[in-house]
Amino acid sequence: MLNCGEILKEHREKLGLSQSAVAKKIKTSHQNISRWESGKFLPSIDFCIKLADLYGISLDDLVGREK
């Protein structure tokens, strides 16, 4: 099972977006995107919602939750 950071990176790369492009779209810094993808920090629920919307996935998919 992938961790949250790996999932974030995978979905970003599927869309062909850079960390800077994602950061602009969700109004944060590219450093935050890097920290989240490396697993150093987790995004807040507000940013999780923005990322899920941007990537066109559910929050469950974003965090790797399997039902």
Side-chain angles (χ1 to χ4, degrees), residues 7-65:
I7 293 167
L8 292 173
K9 183 176 181 179
E10 180 181 285
H11 285 289
R12 176 180 58 79
E13 289 178 341
K14 276 185 187 175
L15 294 178
L17 296 171
S18 67
Q19 289 181 346
S20 294
V22 170
K24 270 187 174 180
K25 290 178 182 288
I26 67 167
K27 297 183 176 30
T28 191
S29 68
H30 74 273
Q31 290 94 340
N32 276 341
I33 304 299
S34 176
R35 290 178 189 126
W36 298 339
E37 289 184 2
S38 69
K40 292 180 182 174
F41 294 95
L42 292 173
S44 69
I45 189 65
D46 292 332
F47 281 116
C48 284
I49 291 167
K50 290 178 182 183
L51 288 163
D53 288 347
L54 175 64
Y55 297 152
I57 60 174
S58 70
L59 287 172
D60 284 343
D61 290 337
L62 185 78
V63 298
R65 180 174 181 252

